[in-house]
Amino acid sequence: MFTVHTEANAPEASRPILQKVRSNYGMVPNLHGVLAGSPGALEAYVALSQALGNTGLSPAEQQVVLLAVSVENGCTYCVAAHSTVAKGGKLFDDATLAALREGQALPDARLEALRAFTTTVVRERGFAGDEAVSAFLAAGFTPAHVLGVITGVALKTLSNYTNHIAATPLDEAFAGQKWEAGVAR
């Protein structure tokens, strides 16, 4: 039903975006290939990915958000992909990455506050409540970081739901971090 597009068979408007993705990553991940079926969806995903980098969250903090959302949503594709990014970038030690993948508390208090807040935002569909926001801010984050978490949730909602519906096949590049634990609760 869903095609994993390439630069050769994607809709014309998606082709330059896929070319840029290949240039940036050395490959076109299957998620991007699926999203290419709708140039607007692909463009939105790429734009949100870039925007996340401008939220004040560090690369490690961004991966905490992206993994926490993906674990909570049970997205096997995105957990594997972001685990690969985190491991390749040496963003976390093995224990932290394992805890993230299991939806468990992180050993670093600040990162745990970020993971917990992100999970609450997803579970409560944005109605995190004053207590959760206050705890997040007390951990040293700012209101701008709250908006950064929301940006990450939007990004991963787009990709997680796409992967669920399209059954996006896992890229070989991410196979070493395959994840099948399902939805963390």
Side-chain angles (χ1 to χ4, degrees):
M1 180 185 306
F2 289 88
T3 300
V4 179
H5 294 279
T6 66
E7 293 107 316
N9 69 358
E12 189 65 37
S14 292
R15 290 177 187 178
I17 301 169
L18 290 178
Q19 290 168 352
K20 186 170 182 167
V21 167
R22 181 177 299 283
S23 173
N24 289 342
Y25 300 113
M27 64 180 278
V28 174
N30 288 338
L31 169 62
H32 291 79
V34 170
L35 288 168
S38 167
L42 178 60
E43 184 178 2
Y45 184 77
V46 170
L48 281 169
S49 296
Q50 292 171 341
L52 185 61
N54 295 324
T55 62
L57 294 169
S58 72
E61 291 168 342
Q62 291 171 40
Q63 290 304 315
V64 168
V65 171
L66 300 176
L67 278 161
V69 175
S70 298
V71 167
E72 187 62 26
N73 284 335
C75 185
T76 58
Y77 183 96
C78 286
V79 172
H82 290 288
S83 295
T84 301
V85 169
K87 194 156 184 77
K90 297 179 174 51
L91 298 177
F92 312 115
D93 60 34
D94 289 343
T96 298
L97 183 57
L100 272 167
R101 289 168 56 93
E102 295 167 11
Q104 300 299 316
L106 304 181
D108 178 274
R110 180 177 166 88
L111 293 180
E112 172 52 21
L114 177 59
R115 186 204 65 80
F117 179 69
T118 301
T119 300
T120 297
V121 169
V122 174
R123 283 185 184 166
E124 302 303 323
R125 294 179 173 88
F127 295 100
D130 292 342
E131 187 176 311
V133 173
S134 293
F136 183 62
L137 297 175
F141 291 98
T142 68
H145 292 125
V146 171
L147 298 173
V149 169
I150 294 167
T151 301
V153 170
L155 172 65
K156 286 295 94 185
T157 299
L158 174 59
S159 63
N160 294 169
Y161 288 12
T162 296
N163 291 324
H164 293 333
I165 291 170
T168 307
L170 189 63
D171 300 85
E172 183 63 32
F174 309 141
Q177 292 296 319
K178 187 174 180 181
W179 181 83
E180 296 196 33
V183 179
R185 291 280 179 218

